[in-house]
CSV table of all heavy atoms in Angstrom, one decimal:
chain,number,residue,atom,x,y,z
A,1,SER,N,0.8,-1.2,0.1
A,1,SER,CA,0.0,0.0,0.0
A,1,SER,C,0.8,1.3,0.0
A,1,SER,O,0.2,2.4,-0.2
A,1,SER,CB,-0.9,0.0,1.2
A,1,SER,OG,-0.2,0.0,2.5
A,2,GLU,N,2.1,1.2,0.4
A,2,GLU,CA,2.9,2.4,0.5
A,2,GLU,C,4.4,2.1,0.1
A,2,GLU,O,4.9,1.1,0.6
A,2,GLU,CB,2.8,3.0,1.8
A,2,GLU,CG,3.6,4.2,2.0
A,2,GLU,CD,3.4,5.0,3.4
A,2,GLU,OE1,2.2,5.2,3.7
A,2,GLU,OE2,4.4,5.2,4.0
A,3,VAL,N,5.0,2.9,-0.6
A,3,VAL,CA,6.4,2.7,-0.8
A,3,VAL,C,7.1,4.1,-0.6
A,3,VAL,O,6.6,5.1,-1.0
A,3,VAL,CB,6.8,2.4,-2.2
A,3,VAL,CG1,8.2,2.3,-2.6
A,3,VAL,CG2,6.1,1.0,-2.6
A,4,GLN,N,8.2,4.1,0.2
A,4,GLN,CA,9.0,5.3,0.5
A,4,GLN,C,10.4,5.2,-0.1
A,4,GLN,O,10.9,4.3,-0.1
A,4,GLN,CB,9.0,5.6,2.0
A,4,GLN,CG,7.7,5.8,2.7
A,4,GLN,CD,7.9,6.2,4.2
A,4,GLN,OE1,9.0,6.0,4.8
A,4,GLN,NE2,6.9,6.8,4.7
A,5,PHE,N,10.8,6.4,-0.8
A,5,PHE,CA,12.1,6.4,-1.4
A,5,PHE,C,12.9,7.5,-0.7
A,5,PHE,O,12.3,8.6,-0.4
A,5,PHE,CB,12.0,6.7,-2.8
A,5,PHE,CG,11.3,5.6,-3.7
A,5,PHE,CD1,10.0,5.6,-3.9
A,5,PHE,CD2,12.0,4.5,-4.1
A,5,PHE,CE1,9.3,4.6,-4.5
A,5,PHE,CE2,11.4,3.4,-4.8
A,5,PHE,CZ,10.1,3.6,-5.1
A,6,ARG,N,14.1,7.3,-0.5
A,6,ARG,CA,14.9,8.3,0.2
A,6,ARG,C,16.1,8.6,-0.8
A,6,ARG,O,16.7,7.6,-1.4
A,6,ARG,CB,15.5,7.8,1.5
A,6,ARG,CG,14.5,7.8,2.6
A,6,ARG,CD,15.1,7.5,3.9
A,6,ARG,NE,14.3,7.6,4.9
A,6,ARG,CZ,14.5,7.4,6.3
A,6,ARG,NH1,15.8,7.1,6.6
A,6,ARG,NH2,13.5,7.3,7.2
A,7,TYR,N,16.3,9.9,-1.1
A,7,TYR,CA,17.2,10.3,-2.2
A,7,TYR,C,18.2,11.2,-1.5
A,7,TYR,O,17.8,12.2,-0.9
A,7,TYR,CB,16.6,10.8,-3.3
A,7,TYR,CG,17.4,11.6,-4.3
A,7,TYR,CD1,18.2,10.7,-5.3
A,7,TYR,CD2,17.6,12.9,-4.4
A,7,TYR,CE1,19.1,11.3,-6.2
A,7,TYR,CE2,18.4,13.5,-5.3
A,7,TYR,CZ,19.1,12.7,-6.2
A,7,TYR,OH,19.9,13.2,-7.2
A,8,LEU,N,19.4,11.1,-1.5
A,8,LEU,CA,20.5,11.9,-1.1
A,8,LEU,C,21.1,12.6,-2.4
A,8,LEU,O,21.7,11.9,-3.3
A,8,LEU,CB,21.6,11.1,-0.4
A,8,LEU,CG,22.7,11.9,0.1
A,8,LEU,CD1,22.1,12.8,1.4
A,8,LEU,CD2,23.8,11.1,0.8
A,9,PRO,N,20.9,13.9,-2.5
A,9,PRO,CA,21.4,14.6,-3.6
A,9,PRO,C,23.0,14.5,-3.7
A,9,PRO,O,23.6,14.5,-2.7
A,9,PRO,CB,20.7,16.0,-3.5
A,9,PRO,CG,20.7,16.2,-1.9
A,9,PRO,CD,20.3,14.8,-1.5
A,10,VAL,N,23.4,14.7,-5.0
A,10,VAL,CA,24.9,14.8,-5.2
A,10,VAL,C,25.4,16.2,-4.9
A,10,VAL,O,26.6,16.4,-4.7
A,10,VAL,CB,25.1,14.4,-6.7
A,10,VAL,CG1,24.8,12.8,-6.7
A,10,VAL,CG2,24.4,15.2,-7.7
A,11,ARG,N,24.6,17.2,-5.1
A,11,ARG,CA,25.0,18.6,-4.7
A,11,ARG,C,24.9,18.9,-3.2
A,11,ARG,O,24.0,18.2,-2.6
A,11,ARG,CB,24.0,19.6,-5.5
A,11,ARG,CG,24.2,19.7,-7.0
A,11,ARG,CD,23.4,20.7,-7.6
A,11,ARG,NE,23.7,20.8,-9.1
A,11,ARG,CZ,23.0,19.9,-10.0
A,11,ARG,NH1,22.2,19.0,-9.6
A,11,ARG,NH2,23.5,20.3,-11.3
A,12,ALA,N,25.6,19.8,-2.7
A,12,ALA,CA,25.5,20.2,-1.3
A,12,ALA,C,24.1,20.8,-1.1
A,12,ALA,O,23.4,21.3,-2.0
A,12,ALA,CB,26.4,21.2,-0.9
A,13,TYR,N,23.5,20.7,0.1
A,13,TYR,CA,22.2,21.2,0.4
A,13,TYR,C,22.1,21.6,1.8
A,13,TYR,O,23.0,21.5,2.6
A,13,TYR,CB,21.1,20.2,0.2
A,13,TYR,CG,21.2,18.8,0.9
A,13,TYR,CD1,20.4,18.6,2.1
A,13,TYR,CD2,22.1,17.8,0.6
A,13,TYR,CE1,20.5,17.5,2.8
A,13,TYR,CE2,22.3,16.8,1.3
A,13,TYR,CZ,21.5,16.5,2.5
A,13,TYR,OH,21.7,15.4,3.2
A,14,ASN,N,21.0,22.3,2.2
A,14,ASN,CA,20.9,22.8,3.5
A,14,ASN,C,21.9,23.8,3.9
A,14,ASN,O,22.6,23.9,4.9
A,14,ASN,CB,20.8,21.7,4.6
A,14,ASN,CG,19.6,21.0,4.6
A,14,ASN,OD1,18.6,21.3,3.9
A,14,ASN,ND2,19.5,19.8,5.3
A,15,LEU,N,22.2,24.7,2.9
A,15,LEU,CA,23.2,25.9,3.1
A,15,LEU,C,22.7,26.8,4.2
A,15,LEU,O,21.6,27.2,4.3
A,15,LEU,CB,23.3,26.7,1.8
A,15,LEU,CG,24.4,26.0,0.8
A,15,LEU,CD1,23.8,24.7,0.4
A,15,LEU,CD2,24.5,27.0,-0.4
A,16,THR,N,23.6,27.0,5.1
A,16,THR,CA,23.2,27.8,6.4
A,16,THR,C,23.0,29.3,6.0
A,16,THR,O,22.3,29.9,6.8
A,16,THR,CB,24.3,27.8,7.5
A,16,THR,OG1,25.5,28.1,6.9
A,16,THR,CG2,24.3,26.3,8.1
A,17,LEU,N,23.7,29.9,5.0
A,17,LEU,CA,23.4,31.2,4.6
A,17,LEU,C,22.5,31.2,3.5
A,17,LEU,O,23.0,30.9,2.4
A,17,LEU,CB,24.7,31.9,4.2
A,17,LEU,CG,25.6,32.5,5.4
A,17,LEU,CD1,26.8,33.3,4.9
A,17,LEU,CD2,24.8,33.2,6.4
A,18,ALA,N,21.3,31.5,3.7
A,18,ALA,CA,20.2,31.5,2.7
A,18,ALA,C,20.4,32.7,1.7
A,18,ALA,O,21.0,33.7,2.1
A,18,ALA,CB,18.9,31.5,3.2
A,19,ASP,N,19.8,32.6,0.6
A,19,ASP,CA,20.0,33.7,-0.5
A,19,ASP,C,19.3,34.9,0.0
A,19,ASP,O,18.2,34.9,0.7
A,19,ASP,CB,19.3,33.3,-1.9
A,19,ASP,CG,19.6,34.2,-3.0
A,19,ASP,OD1,20.8,34.9,-2.9
A,19,ASP,OD2,18.8,34.3,-3.9
A,20,GLY,N,19.9,36.0,0.0
A,20,GLY,CA,19.4,37.3,0.5
A,20,GLY,C,19.6,37.7,1.9
A,20,GLY,O,19.1,38.7,2.4
A,21,THR,N,20.5,36.8,2.6
A,21,THR,CA,20.8,37.1,4.1
A,21,THR,C,21.5,38.4,4.2
A,21,THR,O,22.5,38.6,3.5
A,21,THR,CB,21.6,35.9,4.8
A,21,THR,OG1,20.8,34.7,4.4
A,21,THR,CG2,21.9,36.2,6.1
A,22,MET,N,21.1,39.1,5.1
A,22,MET,CA,21.6,40.5,5.5
A,22,MET,C,22.5,40.5,6.7
A,22,MET,O,22.2,39.6,7.6
A,22,MET,CB,20.5,41.6,5.4
A,22,MET,CG,19.6,41.7,4.2
A,22,MET,SD,20.6,42.3,2.8
A,22,MET,CE,20.9,44.0,3.4
A,23,ASP,N,23.4,41.5,6.9
A,23,ASP,CA,24.0,41.7,8.1
A,23,ASP,C,24.8,40.4,8.7
A,23,ASP,O,24.8,40.0,9.8
A,23,ASP,CB,23.1,42.0,9.1
A,23,ASP,CG,22.5,43.5,9.0
A,23,ASP,OD1,23.2,44.3,8.3
A,23,ASP,OD2,21.3,43.7,9.4
A,24,VAL,N,25.6,39.9,7.7
A,24,VAL,CA,26.4,38.7,7.9
A,24,VAL,C,27.6,39.2,8.5
A,24,VAL,O,28.4,40.0,7.9
A,24,VAL,CB,26.6,37.8,6.7
A,24,VAL,CG1,27.7,36.7,6.9
A,24,VAL,CG2,25.2,37.4,6.0
A,25,ALA,N,28.0,38.6,9.7
A,25,ALA,CA,29.2,38.8,10.3
A,25,ALA,C,30.5,38.4,9.5
A,25,ALA,O,30.5,37.4,8.8
A,25,ALA,CB,29.3,38.3,11.7
A,26,VAL,N,31.6,39.1,9.6
A,26,VAL,CA,32.7,38.8,9.0
A,26,VAL,C,33.4,37.6,9.3
A,26,VAL,O,34.3,37.0,8.6
A,26,VAL,CB,33.8,40.0,8.9
A,26,VAL,CG1,33.2,41.3,8.3
A,26,VAL,CG2,34.2,40.3,10.4
A,27,ASP,N,33.0,37.1,10.5
A,27,ASP,CA,33.6,35.8,11.0
A,27,ASP,C,32.5,34.8,11.1
A,27,ASP,O,32.6,33.9,11.8
A,27,ASP,CB,34.2,36.0,12.3
A,27,ASP,CG,33.4,36.6,13.4
A,27,ASP,OD1,32.1,36.9,13.1
A,27,ASP,OD2,33.7,36.6,14.7
A,28,ASP,N,31.4,34.9,10.4
A,28,ASP,CA,30.4,34.0,10.3
A,28,ASP,C,30.9,32.6,9.6
A,28,ASP,O,32.0,32.6,9.0
A,28,ASP,CB,29.1,34.5,9.4
A,28,ASP,CG,27.9,33.8,9.9
A,28,ASP,OD1,27.9,32.8,10.5
A,28,ASP,OD2,26.8,34.4,9.7
A,29,THR,N,30.2,31.6,9.7
A,29,THR,CA,30.6,30.3,9.2
A,29,THR,C,29.6,29.7,8.3
A,29,THR,O,28.4,29.7,8.6
A,29,THR,CB,30.8,29.3,10.4
A,29,THR,OG1,31.8,29.7,11.3
A,29,THR,CG2,31.2,27.9,9.9
A,30,LEU,N,30.1,29.4,7.0
A,30,LEU,CA,29.3,28.7,6.1
A,30,LEU,C,29.1,27.3,6.5
A,30,LEU,O,30.1,26.7,6.9
A,30,LEU,CB,29.9,28.8,4.7
A,30,LEU,CG,30.2,30.1,4.0
A,30,LEU,CD1,30.8,29.9,2.7
A,30,LEU,CD2,28.8,30.9,3.9
A,31,GLY,N,27.9,26.8,6.3
A,31,GLY,CA,27.8,25.3,6.6
A,31,GLY,C,26.8,24.7,5.6
A,31,GLY,O,25.9,25.4,5.0
A,32,TRP,N,26.9,23.4,5.4
A,32,TRP,CA,26.1,22.8,4.4
A,32,TRP,C,26.1,21.2,4.6
A,32,TRP,O,27.0,20.8,5.4
A,32,TRP,CB,26.6,23.0,3.0
A,32,TRP,CG,28.0,22.5,2.7
A,32,TRP,CD1,28.3,21.3,2.2
A,32,TRP,CD2,29.2,23.2,3.0
A,32,TRP,NE1,29.7,21.2,2.2
A,32,TRP,CE2,30.2,22.3,2.5
A,32,TRP,CE3,29.5,24.5,3.4
A,32,TRP,CZ2,31.6,22.7,2.7
A,32,TRP,CZ3,30.9,24.8,3.6
A,32,TRP,CH2,31.8,24.0,3.2
A,33,ALA,N,25.1,20.6,4.1
A,33,ALA,CA,25.1,19.1,4.2
A,33,ALA,C,25.7,18.5,3.0
A,33,ALA,O,25.6,19.1,1.9
A,33,ALA,CB,23.7,18.6,4.3
A,34,PRO,N,26.6,17.6,3.1
A,34,PRO,CA,27.3,17.2,1.9
A,34,PRO,C,26.6,16.4,0.9
A,34,PRO,O,25.6,15.6,1.3
A,34,PRO,CB,28.5,16.2,2.5
A,34,PRO,CG,27.9,15.6,3.7
A,34,PRO,CD,27.0,16.8,4.3
A,35,GLY,N,26.9,16.5,-0.3
A,35,GLY,CA,26.2,15.8,-1.4
A,35,GLY,C,26.7,14.4,-1.5
A,35,GLY,O,27.8,14.0,-0.8
A,36,ARG,N,26.0,13.5,-2.1
A,36,ARG,CA,26.3,12.0,-2.1
A,36,ARG,C,27.6,11.8,-2.9
A,36,ARG,O,27.9,12.5,-3.9
A,36,ARG,CB,25.1,11.3,-2.9
A,36,ARG,CG,25.4,9.8,-3.1
A,36,ARG,CD,24.2,9.1,-3.6
A,36,ARG,NE,24.1,9.3,-5.2
A,36,ARG,CZ,23.2,10.1,-5.7
A,36,ARG,NH1,22.3,10.7,-5.0
A,36,ARG,NH2,23.3,10.3,-7.1
A,37,GLN,N,28.6,11.0,-2.4
A,37,GLN,CA,29.8,10.6,-2.8
A,37,GLN,C,30.7,11.8,-2.9
A,37,GLN,O,31.9,11.6,-3.5
A,37,GLN,CB,29.6,10.1,-4.4
A,37,GLN,CG,28.7,8.8,-4.3
A,37,GLN,CD,28.6,8.3,-5.8
A,37,GLN,OE1,28.7,9.1,-6.7
A,37,GLN,NE2,28.2,7.1,-6.0
A,38,ALA,N,30.6,12.9,-2.3
A,38,ALA,CA,31.5,14.0,-2.2
A,38,ALA,C,32.7,13.6,-1.5
A,38,ALA,O,32.6,13.1,-0.3
A,38,ALA,CB,30.8,15.3,-1.7
A,39,VAL,N,34.0,14.0,-2.0
A,39,VAL,CA,35.2,13.8,-1.2
A,39,VAL,C,35.7,15.1,-0.6
A,39,VAL,O,36.1,15.1,0.4
A,39,VAL,CB,36.3,13.1,-2.2
A,39,VAL,CG1,37.6,13.0,-1.4
A,39,VAL,CG2,35.8,11.6,-2.7
A,40,ASP,N,35.6,16.1,-1.4
A,40,ASP,CA,36.0,17.5,-1.1
A,40,ASP,C,34.9,18.5,-1.5
A,40,ASP,O,34.0,18.2,-2.2
A,40,ASP,CB,37.4,17.9,-1.8
A,40,ASP,CG,38.5,16.9,-1.4
A,40,ASP,OD1,38.6,16.8,-0.1
A,40,ASP,OD2,39.4,16.5,-2.1
A,41,HIS,N,35.2,19.7,-1.0
A,41,HIS,CA,34.2,20.8,-1.1
A,41,HIS,C,34.9,22.0,-1.5
A,41,HIS,O,35.8,22.4,-0.9
A,41,HIS,CB,33.3,21.1,0.1
A,41,HIS,CG,32.9,19.7,0.8
A,41,HIS,ND1,31.7,19.0,0.4
A,41,HIS,CD2,33.5,19.0,1.8
A,41,HIS,CE1,31.7,17.9,1.2
A,41,HIS,NE2,32.6,18.0,2.1
A,42,GLU,N,34.6,22.4,-2.8
A,42,GLU,CA,35.3,23.8,-3.2
A,42,GLU,C,34.3,25.0,-2.7
A,42,GLU,O,33.2,24.9,-3.0
A,42,GLU,CB,35.4,23.8,-4.7
A,42,GLU,CG,36.4,22.8,-5.2
A,42,GLU,CD,36.6,22.8,-6.7
A,42,GLU,OE1,35.6,23.4,-7.4
A,42,GLU,OE2,37.5,22.2,-7.1
A,43,ILE,N,35.0,26.0,-2.1
A,43,ILE,CA,34.3,27.2,-1.8
A,43,ILE,C,34.5,28.2,-2.8
A,43,ILE,O,35.7,28.7,-3.0
A,43,ILE,CB,34.8,27.7,-0.4
A,43,ILE,CG1,35.0,26.7,0.8
A,43,ILE,CG2,33.9,28.9,0.1
A,43,ILE,CD1,33.6,26.0,1.0
A,44,CYS,N,33.5,28.6,-3.5
A,44,CYS,CA,33.6,29.7,-4.7
A,44,CYS,C,32.9,30.9,-4.2
A,44,CYS,O,31.8,30.8,-3.9
A,44,CYS,CB,33.1,29.1,-5.9
A,44,CYS,SG,33.7,27.5,-6.5
A,45,LEU,N,33.6,31.9,-4.3
A,45,LEU,CA,33.0,33.2,-3.7
A,45,LEU,C,33.4,34.4,-4.4
A,45,LEU,O,34.7,34.6,-4.7
A,45,LEU,CB,33.2,33.4,-2.1
A,45,LEU,CG,32.6,34.5,-1.3
A,45,LEU,CD1,32.1,34.1,0.0
A,45,LEU,CD2,33.6,35.7,-1.2
A,46,GLY,N,32.6,35.4,-4.5
A,46,GLY,CA,33.0,36.7,-5.2
A,46,GLY,C,31.9,37.7,-5.3
A,46,GLY,O,30.8,37.5,-4.8
A,47,THR,N,32.1,38.9,-5.7
A,47,THR,CA,31.2,39.9,-5.9
A,47,THR,C,30.4,39.8,-7.2
A,47,THR,O,29.4,40.6,-7.3
A,47,THR,CB,31.7,41.3,-5.6
A,47,THR,OG1,32.7,41.5,-6.7
A,47,THR,CG2,32.3,41.4,-4.3
A,48,ASP,N,30.8,39.1,-8.1
A,48,ASP,CA,30.2,38.9,-9.5
A,48,ASP,C,29.6,37.6,-9.5
A,48,ASP,O,30.2,36.6,-9.6
A,48,ASP,CB,31.2,39.2,-10.6
A,48,ASP,CG,30.6,39.1,-11.9
A,48,ASP,OD1,29.4,38.7,-12.0
A,48,ASP,OD2,31.4,39.4,-12.9
């Protein structure tokens, strides 16, 4: 009568800094849940 599937994404998810967050401290910490099969994580950041 019921089937449940669980799926772990390959991309990072549950990012702690949501889009549009204001007043972020200069020493705040980025956090995320790792994607499936990820070995390392590249941090890409800029103003453009």
Side-chain angles (χ1 to χ4, degrees):
S1 61
E2 179 178 305
V3 177
Q4 291 185 346
F5 295 94
R6 292 187 178 181
Y7 170 75
L8 185 64
V10 291
R11 291 180 174 85
Y13 60 101
N14 288 347
L15 277 63
T16 55
L17 281 185
D19 194 32
T21 302
M22 303 294 293
D23 297 327
V24 173
V26 294
D27 60 353
D28 207 337
T29 298
L30 298 179
W32 61 93
R36 184 175 74 249
Q37 300 177 340
V39 175
D40 292 312
H41 317 278
E42 292 177 345
I43 314 297
C44 303
L45 183 143
T47 57
D48 182 352

